[in-house]
Amino acid sequence: MTVRATFALALVAIAAGAAPASAQPTPPGAAPTADPPAKLRARALVSEGNRLSGAGRKADALSLFEDAFREYPDPIILVNIGITLRELGRLVDAAEALQRSIDDPTAAPEIVARATAELAQVDRSLGRLVLEPETMAAAPVEVAVDDEPWRLLPPSRTLHVLPGARRVRARGGGATVVVEVAVAIAAGAEQAVPLRLIDEPPPPPPPPPVITVAPVAARLPAPERPERPDVAAGRPGRFGATVGLVVDPSTPGAAALIAIAIAAHPRLTLDLGGLVGGNNALLVSATGAVSTGRLRPTVSVGGVVAFYRADRPTMVLPREVARTLVGARVAAGLEYWRTARLGLRLEAAVEYYPSGQPDIHPLIFTPTIAARARL
């Protein structure tokens, strides 16, 4: 059938005005019902479109056919629109127009047959995507191919697309998700496209962490005692003082001890001082602690410069004579530090003076008791 014959078929269908199957026949002698004005306008538009198409003006004819369908939406006009679109090379649009004619429930069987035959020719160059939506509710579903705008899912659930890689999107059906499926379709092929429009339930919350409680021991271990600092240890570079009493059994007599001390090491002290009394002296010694702790033994080694005054007999009266003796001093003692700054020292010292003078005993034993303080 030629294009002109197709247009003639449309004109006949519109002019005939076939009534629905449920309509009652016109009683004998009654006047026939007049065509509505919209149908008359559509008939005129189709007639003019038929003329323009015969003259080769396909685009102008298509515009008139579309105007005619808006005036009077008859499915036969969709067939003429689909054929004209195919002749203009707009295959996807032609297939959609022919499919709408087939899906129209008012289309007569001969119109459906003609549209089906025309669609089969178009589909040789296109692919058919049969959409299979799985929805949550009986709600409308919208679809889109590639970047085209959204549209309602057609009643046939079939999309005609150009062959190649296509991207099908779907939404609706009571779900909030948007489904996207990538397909590759060849010309003349048909492919099913499942669309799962169902909101997935949120994942269950993670189980609470398992807290393992260690069994309580029958006897708790004794807490570790913090290491006590050595209060007797002097801090290097700190000064101190020693004040005490030195006893000289050989005189007999006693002298006051006054000395300045400096800590050279936590367990070593350097002392510089003197004796003030019957006989004066200068003392220099180094005192080392044998052990640590509050109570600790000590050993001292040093020197003594003693200034002795003695009576020398003469022919008339005894005369006092001053002597200077240099000797060595070695002592052993015991210190007790009540705090880090205050302590007590007991010491037994032996002084040796190698003077060679008969009235000077070379060895002198001098016990000492002294209080010690430091910064």
Side-chain angles (χ1 to χ4, degrees):
M1 180 180 293
T2 63
V3 175
R4 183 178 299 276
T6 303
F7 297 150
L9 177 60
L11 290 174
V12 172
I14 296 174
S22 59
Q24 300 294 327
T26 304
T33 304
D35 290 335
K39 184 174 182 180
L40 296 176
R41 289 192 296 270
R43 180 185 301 165
L45 290 170
V46 170
S47 177
E48 179 62 16
N50 181 34
R51 186 186 68 79
L52 293 177
S53 180
R57 297 170 58 183
K58 303 296 183 180
D60 295 334
L62 174 63
S63 179
L64 292 177
F65 292 149
E66 290 174 342
D67 291 342
F69 185 77
R70 282 189 288 269
E71 287 286 347
Y72 190 74
D74 194 292
I76 190 60
I77 302 178
L78 287 174
V79 177
N80 287 341
I81 291 175
I83 294 174
T84 306
L85 287 169
R86 175 173 60 82
E87 292 175 341
L88 289 172
R90 296 169 55 183
L91 300 182
V92 175
D93 295 334
E96 291 182 355
L98 294 170
Q99 188 67 56
R100 287 173 59 193
S101 178
I102 296 171
D103 295 338
D104 194 327
T106 65
E110 60 272 17
I111 297 176
V112 174
R114 179 58 189 275
T116 302
E118 294 291 342
L119 182 59
Q121 296 183 27
V122 177
D123 276 345
R124 294 193 185 101
S125 302
L126 298 177
R128 292 167 55 92
L129 300 179
V130 181
L131 307 183
E132 300 177 349
E134 182 182 357
T135 61
M136 300 177 61
V141 175
E142 293 182 317
V143 295
V145 177
D146 296 333
D147 295 325
E148 295 178 357
W150 293 96
R151 54 178 168 169
L152 288 175
L153 179 69
S156 64
R157 299 189 175 185
T158 301
L159 295 180
H160 303 268
V161 297
L162 293 173
R166 303 271 76 87
R167 182 167 52 93
V168 180
R169 293 174 294 153
R171 67 184 182 184
T176 60
V177 297
V178 176
V179 178
E180 183 174 315
V181 180
V183 296
I185 188 74
E190 180 177 290
Q191 181 174 340
V193 180
L195 302 172
R196 182 176 172 82
L197 291 170
I198 296 179
D199 292 333
E200 298 294 338
V210 178
I211 301 176
T212 303
V213 179
V216 180
R219 297 182 61 182
L220 296 177
E224 296 183 1
R225 295 183 178 179
E227 184 178 352
R228 298 181 61 182
D230 185 4
V231 298
R235 299 175 67 179
R238 294 297 180 91
F239 286 90
T242 302
V243 178
L245 185 66
V246 178
V247 179
D248 185 359
S250 63
T251 307
L257 171 65
I258 301 174
I260 297 175
I262 182 172
H265 185 270
R267 294 166 62 178
L268 179 62
T269 304
L270 302 179
D271 298 285
L272 174 62
L275 299 176
V276 179
N279 293 307
N280 299 329
L282 293 178
L283 296 177
V284 177
S285 65
T287 303
V290 178
S291 62
T292 60
R294 292 180 181 270
L295 184 64
R296 58 185 188 172
T298 61
V299 175
S300 297
V301 177
V304 182
V305 179
F307 306 98
Y308 276 85
R309 292 189 301 272
D311 293 334
R312 174 176 293 181
T314 63
M315 297 295 294
V316 181
L317 294 174
R319 184 170 59 89
E320 185 178 69
V321 179
R323 297 180 182 180
T324 301
L325 302 175
V326 178
R329 186 174 183 272
V330 178
L334 189 65
E335 287 184 350
Y336 173 72
W337 287 91
R338 180 66 183 83
T339 66
R341 298 181 182 275
L342 185 61
L344 180 67
R345 175 187 291 179
L346 296 177
E347 190 175 64
V350 175
E351 299 176 7
Y352 173 67
Y353 296 97
S355 63
Q357 300 182 24
D359 58 339
I360 300 298
H361 198 284
L363 293 176
I364 300 176
F365 172 72
T366 55
T368 304
I369 181 171
R372 304 197 65 188
R374 60 189 174 201
L375 299 178

